[in-house]
Amino acid sequence: MDDKKIIFSGVQPSGNLTLGNYLGAIKNWVSLQDEYNCVYAMMDMHTITVRQTPADLRRRTLELLALYIAAGIDPEKSILFIQSQNPAHAELAWVLNCYTYMGELNRMTQFKDKSARHAENINAGLFTYPVLMAADILLYQTDYVPVGKDQMQHIEICRDIAERFNGLYGDVFKIPEGMLSKSGAKIMSLQEPEKKMSKSDPNPKGYISMMDDLNVIAKKIKSAVTDSEGKIEYREGDPAKAGINNLLSIMSAVTGRGIEEIAAEYAGKGYGDFKGAVAEAVVECIRPVREEYDRIIKDKQYLTDICAKGAELSYKIAQRTLKKVYKKVGFVI
Ligand code: ATP
Ligand code: LTN
């Protein structure tokens, strides 16, 4: 590889992607492709920490790849692969499990949330989820990990594990940094704007799926919860303004314009007008991605070829780190 810095990220094929996933993660990956060597994966091994229907998981994994490409990730520039097709991830995860403390994992917010939501299936994989994620990142000697705000705690534990390992064995891993987008790092629910927009929200009005009909998307935005004050103004941290703050952030993320500039343009206008404008901007942002997606998803051969190439390439790179680790811990190689 050349001397460009390395980017690694991924999304789980656990459901239809939301506008939050798109704006918080994937959209930002596109612009990084020229400046960095980028590796983007479909994190299917993380997905089975929650029970899945096998046929759906298989289908959604390729759909996610099609969506990456439709969003502008170029398979000629970036490495795209399916996590389970590269055995180095599970292999490094096992080793790192032995260098991670139960106490550290117990503090993870996502584990607490998910074990509360899936009380019938609190499995060991859910608990060690951040260790597999650390393996994903560390295998590629990653410099930056572009993710939404909710994942920063997982990046922190990844750094802690890497530093601990390096402390024992010398410089084996590059210490990665999280990379947050300027806007869109935390898109909130349209119905409960104090909660993050999530694809597993039981109320579909709370989130916008990238697969929703464009008319449905517009309707969901128009029925977003706001307040009775009637003022279009961004007030960070003010719970009364959570709905309007969210719509301003969404507008900013889809248009690339600053929040203040947008707020100034709509100051004095009614919420109805503003929501109409946000709805139109979001639809125009999603429309071209959807059109590309509809075209790409039909070509299964193209998609499976990309996965095969990505699995091979990513394994080659990952192997270098894995070999070093195996040697350091004392395995015969
Ligand atoms: P779930 O809600 O089922 O736990 P999720 O919607 O959080 O899943 P992930 O696959 O866990 O989806 O996340 C993929 C990427 O999208 C991550 O980088 C995450 O930080 C980002 N992301 C998720 N939700 C949002 C959001 N509401 N706003 C901004 N970024 C988000
Ligand atoms: N936990 C992440 C998905 C994920 C990931 C990664 C992101 C798994 N492994 C490595 C960045 C780097 C999530 O978005 N829920």
Side-chain angles (χ1 to χ4, degrees), residues 38-327:
C38 299
V39 185
Y40 298 125
M42 283 71 77
M43 300 306 185
D44 57 346
M45 293 171 75
H46 280 100
T47 306
I48 64 163
T49 54
V50 171
R51 212 61 82 221
Q52 303 290 326
T53 306
D56 290 349
L57 177 58
R58 220 182 319 276
R59 178 179 47 78
R60 280 200 310 259
T61 305
L62 285 186
E63 287 175 356
L64 182 58
L65 171 62
L67 205 57
Y68 283 2
I69 301 171
I73 312 281
D74 179 351
E76 298 296 323
K77 287 187 194 159
S78 302
I79 299 178
L80 292 168
F81 73 101
I82 301 176
Q83 186 187 28
S84 63
Q85 292 189 344
N86 178 343
H89 291 252
E91 291 177 284
L92 182 60
W94 172 254
V95 176
L96 297 183
N97 264 319
C98 304
Y99 294 82
T100 308
Y101 298 115
M102 306 281 283
E104 293 180 290
L105 292 172
N106 248 328
R107 287 198 290 273
M108 295 292 114
T109 323
Q110 182 178 293
F111 172 69
K112 288 188 229 167
D113 283 357
K114 290 212 171 164
S115 44
R117 268 193 282 149
H118 303 277
E120 73 303 337
N121 179 23
I122 306 177
N123 60 72
L126 195 61
F127 189 62
T128 60
Y129 178 115
V131 183
L132 178 59
M133 180 160 163
D136 299 334
I137 297 168
L138 299 176
L139 276 172
Y140 300 91
Q141 303 294 337
T142 302
D143 292 279
Y144 301 110
V145 189
V147 282
K149 230 184 220 159
D150 62 312
Q151 292 301 312
M152 289 311 265
Q153 197 184 29
H154 288 160
I155 308 285
E156 274 313 308
I157 194 174
C158 168
R159 290 165 57 92
D160 292 343
I161 298 169
E163 277 165 1
R164 180 170 309 136
F165 198 92
N166 284 355
L168 289 165
Y169 302 108
D171 277 344
V172 176
F173 298 123
K174 171 84 64 68
I175 307 298
E177 279 174 43
M179 188 190 240
L180 285 180
S181 61
K182 280 181 219 73
S183 58
K186 193 159 191 195
I187 302 296
M188 310 309 279
S189 155
L190 297 174
Q191 291 300 314
E192 294 166 89
E194 57 293 334
K195 285 194 345 202
K196 84 159 188 168
M197 182 181 284
S198 162
K199 57 191 166 214
S200 35
D201 187 337
N203 178 5
K205 281 186 163 172
Y207 62 87
I208 289 174
S209 159
M210 294 297 288
M211 295 299 148
D212 277 342
D213 190 87
L214 296 178
N215 294 322
V216 172
I217 295 179
K219 259 197 209 131
K220 284 185 179 176
I221 292 188
K222 287 180 189 159
S223 56
V225 167
T226 47
D227 55 73
S228 54
E229 192 188 26
K231 257 195 190 159
I232 299 170
E233 197 174 83
Y234 189 81
R235 292 209 301 266
E236 173 115 42
D238 181 347
K241 275 295 175 207
I244 287 293
N245 287 351
N246 191 34
L247 290 176
L248 281 166
S249 307
I250 292 176
M251 186 73 161
S252 164
V254 298
T255 60
R257 294 169 58 203
I259 288 184
E260 294 306 328
E261 183 194 332
I262 299 167
E265 182 185 341
Y266 289 93
K269 298 225 170 79
Y271 285 176
D273 285 351
F274 177 55
K275 284 181 178 176
V278 178
E280 198 182 316
V282 170
V283 165
E284 289 321 310
C285 167
I286 294 182
R287 189 195 304 277
V289 180
R290 278 290 288 283
E291 285 172 0
E292 264 303 277
Y293 173 85
D294 290 340
R295 194 179 64 76
I296 298 165
I297 195 66
K298 293 196 188 98
D299 197 347
K300 290 283 173 326
Q301 189 62 49
Y302 170 68
L303 294 171
T304 45
D305 285 351
I306 290 175
C307 293
K309 192 175 123 198
E312 198 185 314
L313 255 174
S314 64
Y315 188 63
K316 229 185 234 164
I317 304 171
Q319 265 291 46
R320 283 186 227 143
T321 303
L322 190 65
K323 280 255 166 65
K324 259 194 223 167
V325 168
Y326 274 17
K327 201 165 155 199

